[in-house]
Structures are given as C-alpha cells and as structure tokens.
Amino acid sequence: MSVSKYAYVYARIRARMGDMLDERKLRTLVDARNKDDFLSSLMDSPYKDKLTKATSDDLRDTERALKEELIDQYLMVLLSTGGEVRALLEELFRRFEVANLKTVVAARATGVVTTEELPFPSVDDFFGRRIRGLMEEDSVESVMKQLKDPYRSILEEVFPEYKKSNRILILESALDDELYGAIWNRMKRLAEEDKKIVRRIVGTEVDIANLMTLLRCKLDGIEEKELRSFFFPYNSSLDLAAPSAKAAVSANDVRSAIQMLPPSVYKDALTDALPEYEEENSLIPFEKSLKKLFLSTIKHTLRGYPFNIGAIMSFLYLEEIEIRNLCAIAVSKENEIPPEEITRSIIVY
C-alpha cells in the first residue's frame, strides 16, 4: 500500500485515537459507586452516540454496544485499506468470528443449555457464515455439519481425537491454529517493512498464547506429548519447540515451568506474577502480566514511523484493550465488585 493511502487511513485512526479514554477517565469509571453512576460517566465520553442505542440500562446492552463500536472501527479500517494489507487485516478481524465459534463449540461440548449471546454477533454480517444460528444445534457433530470451510474440515480432522479425551482444548486449538496460520501466511505477502512489523506484533501475541497454553496444561496435568501438539509453530522470540525450552515444557508444575524457561522478557514477567499466582491459585496474574508486555510492544510500534501497517494494527489492538476494559468494568459494576478488585482485572494503557 502506498504512503499516500497509509496517510489517508492514518488520518482517520488518529482522529479516533484522540478520543480514547485516558487513565483519569478510566479511574473515574472504576470508582463509580454503582452501575448507574458508571453508565452516567460513560455517557460523558465519545461512546455516548453508540450507548444511546442501548435498549435498556441493563449492562449487557452496554457491553453489546461497546463491542459493536469495536467492530465498527475494524470495518472503518478495512474500508480505508486495500490489497495485501486489507487481506491481512481481514484475517485479524476473523479472530472475532473464531471467538464466536469457540463459544458455540464449548456450549455444545459441555451440553450447557444457554440463551447467552455470542461475544461478537455482528461479525456474521461481514463474513456471512452465520455462526450465530449454530447455537441452536444440539451437539458438536451437528455444529460441524452446518459449518462451511475452513472451519468444518478443521474440526472434522481433530474430532476423533477430541472424542477420545473429551478435551475442548483440542477443538479450540485447531481453530486457533488455522486462524493464525492464515494470518502468518498473509504476513509473508506484505512489503518487507510491513512484514517485520506484523511478525513482531503477531509473533509476540503467539508467544504469549503458547506460554499460557503451557501454564494451563501444567496446571491441568496434561502430558508433555499432548501439550506440544497445542503450541503454534510460529513465534517472535520464544520458540518452545527449541532445545533451550525443553526443560520448561517437561517440567512437573507451573512454578518449575517458569523457572526453567530460557531468559527472556516473558520469563521476567511471569516470575514477577508468581507470588500472586501462588496466593490465588489462578493463572489470571500471569495473563495480565503478559498482556501488559504485549501492550508495551504495541505502544513501541505506535511511536515509530506512522505510514505503515504498524500504526493501523496498534490502533486496532488499543481499541480492543479499551473495549475489553470497559466491558470488564461493566460486568463488575453489575455484580457489585469493589473498585480495588476491578483494577486488578483491567489493563491500563
């Protein structure tokens, strides 16, 4: 994509970035006394127009409106780009469709009857695969029969393995692997500078996903051979298939796995979160620490030359972080969770 076309999309995203909530506003939302005060404060923000379309004061409607805003920003960027850059961004956008499908698969695999909406129902309109309707199916098998490729063939391939162990992770991992494989292949078609930027951003995201998979499997006692099958075969700076990482992958528990990782910024972040993990017996402190690390990658990219794919991707990821923060606060206010607990669940950028 030419510099002039990058300049056009950059002008559009820069205007929106100026509307992002600063730390002071985020703090005000966290400290709101109740959900009414939270909604009142949020209405005094650039999200007002989107929130006025919410049909009630139910915070689920607020979450839905916020997520629709995120989808709208992606669509704005997609319509402002073209060629291989747009093709790459469409694959990134497909992450929301895969999130929807994983929600459907998990619901059908567990047999839980629910009326809960998909996380991002409006992406159905873009991709046209109607994932939303699959919530009406009664089993994983019936979901697969209604799917189109690439998802149908991906799930059919791993379904026998899933039936043996009944691990939903097998189905979710297969979907993620197809998605990030498509993103990685699209990256290879970009101009050299854009390629480096995408490799750094997506590679860091993949590194973090692999690390969280490692820790979840250690916590659940999954054997090393099966664990390795869940890793993405791509990376930025941490290759868990390398000999230097073998001790970590073979470790008996979460603490040992972290201690045996090769030196890296990831190991430092996980080590810092170890005391909180051991106090709570939850992987959430690790996840938050790694998300902060990813955020620093995004911010570093955004400080660079603006007329490349880095500014676009950084904007989209920052938009995601903001929306996820706001949704987390909304859920917390609905459930009367105190501000100090809310603070631990959001990423301040």
Side-chain angles (χ1 to χ4, degrees):
M1 201 162 79
S2 67
V3 170
S4 61
K5 290 183 178 178
Y6 270 127
Y8 170 68
V9 68
Y10 180 68
R12 300 197 71 182
I13 64 177
R14 185 172 182 178
R16 174 63 188 91
M17 288 179 69
D19 287 336
M20 285 186 171
L21 307 182
D22 58 22
E23 186 174 351
R24 181 179 178 183
K25 181 63 175 180
L26 203 60
R27 186 75 253 173
T28 300
L29 293 168
V30 168
D31 290 339
R33 290 176 299 174
N34 51 47
K35 74 174 186 178
D36 291 334
D37 282 357
F38 166 74
L39 285 171
S40 176
S41 183
L42 192 56
M43 287 294 285
D44 184 26
S45 77
Y47 290 103
K48 179 179 179 179
D49 290 343
K50 183 65 71 173
L51 292 173
T52 54
K53 298 178 183 178
T55 57
S56 71
D57 61 356
D58 188 329
L59 289 184
R60 284 176 294 184
D61 280 346
T62 301
E63 284 185 77
R64 191 180 305 115
L66 290 169
K67 289 176 179 178
E68 286 178 1
E69 173 66 15
L70 174 59
I71 299 305
D72 286 349
Q73 294 304 321
Y74 259 90
L75 292 175
M76 178 273 289
V77 167
L78 288 172
L79 291 173
S80 304
T81 54
E84 293 296 343
V85 169
R86 171 165 174 157
L88 183 281
L89 295 175
E90 283 186 6
E91 295 294 357
L92 284 178
F93 188 46
R94 194 158 62 87
R95 290 177 303 136
F96 301 119
E97 184 181 50
V98 170
N100 284 345
L101 182 52
K102 288 197 292 186
T103 298
V104 172
V105 168
R108 300 289 70 82
T110 57
V112 174
V113 178
T114 176
T115 57
E116 184 180 352
E117 289 190 358
L118 297 181
F120 303 98
S122 58
V123 299
D124 269 8
D125 297 333
F126 183 86
F127 292 106
R129 284 185 274 256
R130 303 301 169 192
I131 304 298
R132 190 175 354 186
L134 298 178
M135 286 296 274
E136 300 173 4
E137 302 298 326
D138 59 4
S139 67
V140 175
E141 293 96 324
S142 60
V143 167
M144 288 192 301
K145 289 177 182 178
Q146 298 301 318
L147 281 170
K148 298 178 181 179
D149 281 338
Y151 304 130
R152 180 172 181 170
S153 58
I154 289 298
L155 290 178
E156 285 179 340
E157 183 177 350
V158 300
F159 189 72
E161 183 184 354
Y162 158 71
K163 289 294 286 185
K164 288 180 182 178
S165 66
N166 207 34
R167 293 191 195 280
I168 300 174
L169 181 59
I170 291 171
L171 304 176
E172 294 176 335
S173 180
L175 292 170
D176 285 337
D177 194 50
E178 182 281 324
L179 171 65
Y180 279 91
I183 294 172
W184 209 255
N185 287 332
R186 281 293 178 186
M187 174 200 70
K188 295 176 183 177
R189 304 181 191 184
L190 297 172
E192 200 58 36
E193 185 60 29
D194 281 347
K195 191 186 302 182
K196 291 178 182 177
I197 293 169
V198 175
R199 182 182 293 274
R200 181 170 63 249
I201 294 175
V202 177
T204 300
E205 191 175 25
V206 168
D207 286 349
I208 290 171
N210 280 342
L211 281 167
M212 288 307 302
T213 295
L214 171 65
L215 299 180
R216 287 191 187 100
C217 288
K218 291 303 172 186
L219 191 62
D220 293 341
I222 295 176
E223 295 294 328
E224 179 181 343
K225 182 179 179 181
E226 184 179 4
L227 186 163
R228 287 185 179 277
S229 69
F230 298 140
F231 290 148
F232 290 116
Y234 338 100
N235 64 84
S236 173
S237 60
L238 181 64
D239 184 3
L240 289 178
S244 60
K246 178 173 175 50
V249 178
S250 303
N252 293 325
D253 53 46
V254 170
R255 170 177 273 277
S256 299
I258 292 171
Q259 291 174 335
M260 294 177 181
L261 283 170
S264 68
V265 291
Y266 303 118
K267 181 176 182 177
D268 293 342
L270 293 173
T271 300
D272 289 344
L274 253 176
E276 194 173 352
Y277 156 74
E278 293 180 333
E279 179 182 342
E280 298 180 4
N281 195 30
S282 165
L283 296 179
I284 291 176
F286 295 134
E287 190 170 12
K288 184 173 181 181
S289 186
L290 291 172
K291 282 181 178 179
K292 287 181 178 179
L293 192 60
F294 181 68
L295 175 59
S296 70
T297 300
I298 295 302
K299 292 170 71 174
H300 177 76
T301 302
L302 197 56
R303 285 193 288 266
Y305 180 68
F307 302 131
N308 55 39
I309 200 170
I312 301 173
M313 290 182 67
S314 297
F315 161 70
L316 291 172
Y317 277 110
L318 285 175
E319 188 75 18
E320 284 185 45
I321 292 169
E322 177 158 290
I323 296 298
R324 292 184 192 280
N325 278 343
L326 293 175
C327 288
I329 298 171
V331 169
S332 298
K333 292 301 174 185
E334 185 75 59
N335 291 281
E336 300 182 347
I337 295 173
E340 58 271 20
E341 289 294 320
I342 301 174
T343 301
R344 297 172 64 187
S345 68
I346 63 175
I347 306 296
V348 179
Y349 50 86

